[in-house]
Amino acid sequence: MPRMIYKNMDPLEIENRFSNEKGFFYDQEDSMFCYEDFQPFIEKLPQREIDLIEMYYRNGKKQKEIADYFDVTQGAVSHRLSRACKRLKFLRDMPKINGSIKDILNNHFKPFEIDIITLMIETTCQSRTANLLNTRHKLRGNDQMTQVKVRHKFDRFIERVEKLKKTDTDLAVCYNLMKYIKGNLYMMHEVILPHFDRGYHIRVRKLI
């Protein structure tokens, strides 16, 4: 019996093998995406994804055309568009809070703890939150925050809010929001793809 060999493949390589002029066979996001519905959230995306969303969904350019423009593969463009759509849906479905979350948490959490919570909500990234905390509070040595420390504290804060919301109804939405973030970690964390960025930076200044 012949021996089978398994090879790990780059997701973009896989995507390129199954792409065509209109997009990818398995990608159904085009038919569900309405630019106007997501417009309030688009400015919160990384700039390169804003450009792609504008070109593809607003200006009607094909993926292949965009890929040629930026001198990248169609797979790279599709990957970025897919990621941008997921971010937009994440932002759209995020539980909304009336007023300031800091004001709501102020009666139950210390300023540093509120920073952890708000930065996790803004970035969805444990390592990014840790770095921002270390810079903002000038933490050094054993006091420095790590992504492990951030995750541990954030989980504990969720447990605390779950108990507190029984007597403070304003915390119910905070709890839902924090649980939502925990279930969507790194959603707003931008992964850099060097082969895409090279072409992007060459052409981005020529965007209309």
Side-chain angles (χ1 to χ4, degrees):
M1 183 176 181
R3 182 183 176 185
M4 297 184 68
I5 299 175
Y6 295 90
K7 175 186 176 184
N8 291 326
M9 294 179 63
D10 187 319
L12 293 181
E13 182 181 350
I14 296 174
E15 289 176 347
N16 279 328
R17 293 191 179 193
F18 296 95
S19 64
N20 61 16
E21 274 294 315
K22 296 181 180 179
F24 294 96
F25 294 118
Y26 61 80
D27 186 2
Q28 300 298 318
E29 288 177 340
D30 286 0
S31 60
M32 298 184 292
F33 188 94
C34 177
Y35 180 87
E36 287 73 20
D37 291 345
F38 291 96
Q39 194 167 6
F41 310 105
I42 289 176
E43 65 180 18
K44 296 182 180 180
L45 296 177
Q47 185 58 51
R48 58 175 55 77
E49 290 177 9
I50 293 177
D51 294 335
L52 293 179
I53 288 288
E54 292 279 340
M55 294 177 75
Y56 187 65
Y57 289 107
R58 189 177 188 183
N59 299 333
K61 295 184 182 297
K62 295 181 179 180
Q63 290 184 14
K64 184 64 169 61
E65 185 179 1
I66 298 171
D68 291 343
Y69 186 84
F70 287 122
D71 192 26
V72 296
T73 65
Q74 185 181 340
V77 171
S78 180
H79 179 84
R80 283 289 186 186
L81 284 170
S82 177
R83 183 66 175 171
C85 288
K86 288 181 173 65
R87 292 191 214 271
L88 289 172
K89 290 173 183 177
F90 163 80
L91 291 167
R92 178 196 63 189
D93 298 338
M94 180 184 290
K96 305 300 186 291
I97 291 180
N98 292 325
S100 169
I101 188 173
K102 292 183 178 180
D103 292 340
I104 298 174
L105 296 173
N106 193 51
N107 293 329
H108 307 285
F109 291 87
K110 299 176 182 178
F112 183 73
E113 296 174 331
I114 293 176
D115 266 359
I116 294 176
I117 295 171
T118 55
L119 285 173
M120 278 292 288
I121 292 171
E122 291 170 5
T123 69
T124 72
C125 179
Q126 297 160 160
S127 57
R128 176 66 174 155
T129 295
N131 291 336
L132 289 171
L133 287 168
N134 291 332
T135 300
R136 181 177 299 180
H137 295 275
K138 299 180 180 179
L139 302 177
R140 300 289 185 272
N142 293 333
D143 292 331
Q144 279 191 313
M145 295 296 293
T146 65
Q147 64 177 0
V148 175
K149 289 181 180 180
V150 168
R151 181 173 67 248
H152 174 72
K153 288 184 178 294
F154 192 67
D155 286 344
R156 294 294 297 273
F157 297 159
I158 291 176
E159 294 174 2
R160 193 194 305 181
V161 172
E162 184 176 18
K163 295 176 182 178
L164 290 170
K165 72 184 179 71
K166 296 176 182 178
T167 55
D168 187 343
T169 55
D170 287 340
L171 287 173
V173 179
C174 292
Y175 174 75
N176 292 336
L177 177 55
M178 293 168 70
K179 288 283 289 184
Y180 184 75
I181 295 300
K182 182 179 178 181
N184 292 275
L185 290 178
Y186 302 106
M187 183 56 68
M188 296 304 292
H189 178 66
E190 185 180 11
V191 177
I192 302 300
L193 301 176
H195 63 287
F196 182 94
D197 289 343
R198 282 195 297 271
Y200 178 86
H201 290 303
I202 290 172
R203 296 287 190 177
V204 71
R205 294 180 181 178
K206 298 182 181 180
L207 277 174
I208 297 175

